Amino acid sequence: MCTVCGCGDKVVIDGREVSHEEAHRLGLAHSHDHGPVGPGEHTHHHHHRHSHPHRHGDLVHDHPHDHHHDHPHDHSHGPHHDHGDPAHAHAHAHGADDHDHTHDHLHYGTGPAGVSVPGMSQARLIEVETSILAKNDAIAASNRRVLRALGVLALNLVSSPGSGKTTLLCRTIEALGDAPLAVIEGDQQTSADADRIRATGARAIQINTGKGCHLDAAMVGHAIDDLRPRPGSYLFIENVGNLVCPAAFDLGEAAKVAILSVTEGEDKPLKYPDMFTAARLAILNKTDLAPHCDVDLDLCEANLRRVNPGIEILRLSARTGEGMPAWLDWLRARLAEAQA
């Protein structure tokens, strides 16, 4: 997850990047503590906190936006880096318990942390991940309280790039007619998707994450402040196209909806189980292409249920409209739950 994948911390919301001066004013500036941890190792502590009130109609709440990142870096080059030493063979700095190493299969996710990073122990990885997610979850809980108080149905749409999320959203907006709604678009760069959403007449805000590979609760909290969703409305959050990191980050949504294009193959739920385990609903999109892709939709559904026995599944084609009524019925039922 993002404790190790190198996410950037520069965020642009609707084309406006938070400046260095504004970061200091908002309490987002970085403090760096480079204390020696071991030979050649140091830890970067990034701690950002800002809190400000948010008003949604008559409802006021406060986001304690607190971000903390610890990045230990091991720059030591001891004897194990001597490639002339036969004892070096596959020793590395990971530790023997960090991955399953056989002649035909390297598995770096067998440790308790589920991931391996050179120079970091499994215990340290778990500690860092727990810290990051705990702070994100606190902000997500604040987002959720606001959305529930307003009776807003927030859905986190997740998928790999090119699954058809934006096309599905545009078709959904058109089909919902006059239903009040707003959209948060997440991408590393450009406002292309938000522009497509706005062309339908819907309100949308673009979040650019830079090097970041997912949206987090703080980004979404700021976007909610700007959008001010109407009571009893839909809020669609189109996450960055990525089947890995968005699975771990709660945004305050009512549910994650995973969109899986039939062109991606039946094995994706097995290869990326965390995402489909976290999702309440899976949409098999682009079913009109199934005859041309040699894909087994029944097997795809079976694989989804292998990783998540309780997952709901819909088949549709956003392009042709096949299966859209079932999706709209699902949305209306969830909105009724949110309003209740």
Side-chain angles (χ1 to χ4, degrees), residues 163-165 167-169 171-172 257-263 281-290 297 301 313-331:
S163 68
K165 290 194 301 300
T167 298
L168 175 61
L169 266 178
R171 283 299 186 98
T172 300
V257 176
I259 293 90
L260 178 62
S261 166
V262 301
T263 60
L281 173 69
I283 292 178
L284 302 185
N285 193 21
K286 305 186 184 181
T287 52
D288 56 305
L289 298 179
L297 295 181
E301 289 198 13
I313 302 172
L314 295 175
R315 299 183 185 185
L316 62 80
S317 167
R319 187 177 70 87
T320 67
E322 177 188 4
M324 284 293 291
W327 162 236
L328 297 173
D329 288 344
W330 189 91
L331 287 174

Side-chain angles (χ1 to χ4, degrees), residues 57-213:
D58 295 328
L59 180 66
V60 179
H61 72 113
D62 186 72
H63 281 311
H65 293 191
D66 194 342
H67 311 272
H68 181 86
H69 307 279
D70 281 348
H71 305 290
H73 304 276
D74 188 354
H75 301 290
S76 61
H77 299 279
H80 66 273
H81 281 273
D82 183 359
H83 291 260
D85 183 357
H88 166 77
H90 309 301
H92 302 300
H94 306 294
D97 63 338
D98 282 4
H99 64 273
D100 175 23
H101 192 163
T102 63
H103 291 295
D104 60 354
H105 185 189
L106 299 177
H107 193 341
Y108 290 85
T110 57
V115 69
S116 177
V117 178
M120 292 185 71
S121 69
Q122 292 287 292
R124 180 57 178 153
L125 282 168
I126 292 172
E127 179 185 358
V128 171
E129 177 177 343
T130 300
S131 175
I132 291 173
L133 291 181
K135 291 174 174 60
N136 179 83
D137 289 349
I139 301 170
S142 181
N143 292 344
R144 184 171 287 110
R145 284 192 296 271
V146 169
L147 295 169
R148 284 180 174 172
L150 292 170
V152 170
L153 174 65
L155 297 175
N156 183 2
L157 275 57
V158 292
S159 77
S160 59
S163 68
K165 290 194 301 300
T166 310
T167 298
L168 175 61
L169 266 178
C170 290
R171 283 299 186 98
T172 300
I173 293 166
E174 293 167 358
L176 287 173
D178 295 331
L181 58 86
V183 179
I184 297 172
E185 283 290 341
D187 275 306
Q188 288 190 315
Q189 300 293 344
T190 83
S191 63
D193 286 351
D195 293 340
R196 289 176 61 188
I197 296 297
R198 291 174 187 135
T200 69
R203 294 186 304 134
I205 190 166
Q206 180 73 54
I207 298 178
N208 289 136
T209 61
K211 292 183 179 179
C213 56

Side-chain angles (χ1 to χ4, degrees), residues 158 243 247-248 256 258 268-282 303-312:
V158 292
L243 281 177
K256 286 183 173 66
K268 293 304 174 292
L270 304 181
K271 290 184 174 181
Y272 303 92
D274 287 354
M275 180 61 77
F276 297 98
T277 299
R280 174 173 177 174
L281 173 69
N303 288 339
L304 282 165
R305 292 195 167 96
R306 279 182 63 183
V307 300
N308 185 351
I311 197 168
E312 301 172 64

